[in-house]
Amino acid sequence: MTSSAEARPTAEKLAQATRNMISTKAEKFTESVIREMTRLALEHKAVNLAQGFPDFPAPAEVKEAARAAIAADDNQYAITWGAKPLRDAIVEKFKRTQGVTVDPEREITVCCGSTEAMMSSMMAIINPGDEVVIFEPFYENYGPDAILSGATPRFVRLHAPDWSFDRDELKRAFGPRTKAVIVNTPNNPTGKVFSRGELEFIRDLCVQWNAFAITDEIYEHILYDGKRHISMASMEGMRDRSITINGMSKTYSVTGWRVGWAIAPPGPTEAIRKVHDFLTVGAAAPLQAAGALALKLPETYYEKLAENYRVKRDRMLGILQQAGFECFKPSGAYYIMTDISRFGFSDDMAFARYLVKEIGVASVPGSSFYNDEADGARQVRFTFCKTEATLAAAAERLSKLSPR
Ligand SMILES: Cc1ncc(COP(=O)(O)O)c(C=O)c1O
């Protein structure tokens, strides 16, 4: 006779059985390497130059606006697709910075960060069999975004050192199944800022193949060396085939607030709003109120932001070069991609693990930005959105590293 205890599956067996029950979609991608590196950084008390979040304060007036909104009991659900003052502020800013006029009632969806705006947009437009063109190296979310929305990714390589793409390769990636191209400019992880000529070339392919451009523009204000940001939606012929993704995280140093948005023509917006409603209902109401104020900050705020990051970029380039890295100088965003060949490690994962455990600095292995891990095996990425004290600590630790 078996006792009831014996009949019960062991915890281990149960864990195995439930592991077998997960979806094939979820099985197809791994945990975010960036967040894993952040955890390792905590475990080893390393300086975290992996995940792109600032360790300095957000603007005082923006924080005060959030406090005031909570005190005024702006604490219930906002309108699903975004509080009106924030949508109005997005319209005003898009017009002011890019000259594009959009309708706050029919063309904007405020989401829980640009991460959700991207996912909701993909889920709103993708059908089985649709293809999405993705430049690689790419921000690692785009892989799972494609899998979860059911899109088949077509990767097109950005080539170091200037991260240019081969126009013929891009042409070949487009075809009758292409539903969209994802353009991230300024770019994570490379720091590339797409030029007008490049955007025009992409635009022409979108028009030829009747495809959307989904443009991730969250680093729009973090630009160096006189570079200018051009929104795809501002280009002739693209107003009604662009889905512009943006958010507060990077521009206002509030990555934990989770406020972002998608700007799209009325048809896609209707679909994006439906997906967004059932995914998250809405972004935090008091933080949307603060967003309405943030987006009206004067031009000097953005100039100072870019200049502060320029100083940090130059400081970090010096630190990395001194330590023996080959650096690809970014024109925008707040990351530096490096080549680690000189250090003689078998691959990027081995190097990044050594760096976090033995040297005490967390980075992101290059393979997490490529479809085929081997393509990133000689690269790692560092962020520099950190205080001078953090960068100085990193400099001291990295000085112990020696090229082999
Ligand atoms: C290119 C890019 N898009 C989106 C995000 C995430 O933005 P959000 O905080 O608005 O979800 C990041 C964060 O690092 C990023 O680098």
Side-chain angles (χ1 to χ4, degrees):
M1 215 173 81
T2 46
S3 74
S4 59
E6 277 170 311
R8 238 179 276 141
T10 63
E12 209 175 296
K13 273 193 186 145
L14 199 58
Q16 184 56 43
T18 49
R19 207 170 291 133
N20 292 339
M21 287 162 69
I22 67 166
S23 76
T24 44
K25 275 182 177 169
E27 246 173 10
K28 276 194 203 151
F29 53 88
T30 55
E31 184 205 30
S32 159
V33 177
I34 297 180
R35 281 175 276 285
E36 182 199 333
M37 280 295 150
T38 291
R39 268 206 315 278
L40 276 177
L42 285 172
E43 195 182 319
H44 296 279
K45 297 193 170 38
V47 178
N48 187 356
L49 301 185
Q51 204 174 358
F53 60 85
D55 65 350
F56 45 81
E61 58 272 55
V62 178
K63 291 190 288 190
E64 184 47 42
R67 278 194 291 270
I70 291 172
D73 257 321
D74 190 353
N75 293 318
Q76 310 308 326
Y77 300 125
I79 294 171
T80 300
W81 49 83
K84 178 85 163 92
L86 177 56
R87 280 182 287 124
D88 286 345
I90 293 167
V91 169
E92 189 279 322
K93 183 161 178 286
F94 207 30
K95 174 81 186 153
R96 174 162 45 91
T97 57
Q98 294 293 327
V100 182
T101 306
V102 293
D103 179 354
E105 302 311 325
R106 299 167 68 221
E107 296 185 297
I108 293 174
T109 311
V110 175
C111 296
C112 296
S114 61
T115 299
E116 194 237 322
M118 177 63 81
M119 182 62 86
S120 291
S121 299
M122 300 265 289
M123 291 179 91
I125 63 164
I126 299 296
N127 285 315
D130 285 350
E131 293 182 357
V132 171
V133 178
I134 299 175
F135 292 97
E136 76 171 348
F138 50 83
Y139 171 53
E140 66 166 358
N141 280 31
Y142 303 154
D145 284 343
I147 292 165
L148 290 172
S149 66
T152 304
R154 295 286 305 264
F155 297 101
V156 172
R157 184 59 55 88
L158 298 173
H159 298 275
D162 63 349
W163 307 105
S164 56
F165 58 85
D166 176 342
R167 293 188 173 201
D168 287 330
E169 188 189 346
L170 184 63
K171 241 190 218 171
R172 286 195 301 274
F174 275 75
R177 288 175 185 273
T178 308
K179 181 56 79 69
V181 55
I182 297 179
V183 182
N184 170 215
T185 183
N187 185 262
N188 172 13
T190 65
K192 174 185 175 70
V193 176
F194 282 70
S195 69
R196 181 170 289 282
E198 287 173 325
L199 293 173
E200 280 170 354
F201 189 79
I202 298 167
R203 183 264 318 269
D204 291 348
L205 288 169
C206 288
V207 172
Q208 180 185 345
W209 294 104
N210 192 28
F212 287 107
I214 310 178
T215 65
D216 181 339
E217 305 187 5
I218 67 161
Y219 298 102
E220 65 172 327
H221 292 290
I222 304 176
L223 296 161
Y224 314 114
D225 312 326
K227 284 279 190 302
R228 301 203 64 80
H229 172 67
I230 304 168
S231 277
M232 197 54 124
S234 72
M235 307 201 60
E236 205 189 327
M238 289 308 286
R239 164 74 177 70
D240 290 325
R241 54 172 79 251
S242 293
I243 300 179
T244 307
I245 306 290
N246 214 324
M248 293 183 68
S249 285
K250 313 292 177 175
T251 303
Y252 306 105
S253 307
V254 288
T255 58
W257 281 19
R258 317 307 307 129
V259 178
W261 51 87
I263 304 173
T269 291
E270 240 176 68
I272 294 167
R273 286 179 173 186
K274 280 194 288 183
V275 175
H276 158 71
D277 189 5
F278 290 107
L279 272 180
T280 65
V281 178
L287 304 183
Q288 292 192 50
L293 174 130
L295 267 66
K296 292 186 195 109
L297 287 176
E299 198 47 39
T300 48
Y301 171 79
Y302 303 99
E303 285 162 10
K304 223 163 105 190
L305 180 83
E307 175 55 15
N308 286 345
Y309 275 126
R310 203 247 341 130
V311 171
K312 291 181 191 301
R313 176 199 65 169
D314 292 349
R315 168 88 163 109
M316 195 65 205
L317 278 171
I319 294 169
L320 292 170
Q321 278 158 353
Q322 181 77 28
F325 290 86
E326 187 191 335
C327 296
F328 304 112
K329 188 178 180 180
S331 301
Y334 50 47
Y335 308 95
I336 297 175
M337 268 294 245
T338 65
D339 187 296
I340 55 166
S341 301
R342 288 180 199 151
F343 297 103
F345 278 74
S346 57
D347 63 31
D348 60 317
M349 283 303 295
F351 179 77
R353 288 208 177 102
Y354 170 80
L355 206 63
V356 71
K357 290 181 186 168
E358 307 299 331
I359 300 291
V361 175
S363 61
V364 181
S367 54
S368 55
F369 304 109
Y370 289 86
N371 182 45
D372 182 348
E373 288 179 2
D375 292 331
R378 312 250 48 86
Q379 295 170 350
V380 300
R381 187 201 78 178
F382 294 89
T383 185
F384 53 84
C385 55
K386 304 294 173 188
T387 59
E388 170 50 31
T390 305
L391 297 181
E396 201 214 312
R397 291 168 183 218
L398 287 169
S399 67
K400 297 188 194 104
L401 196 60
S402 47
R404 293 176 186 171

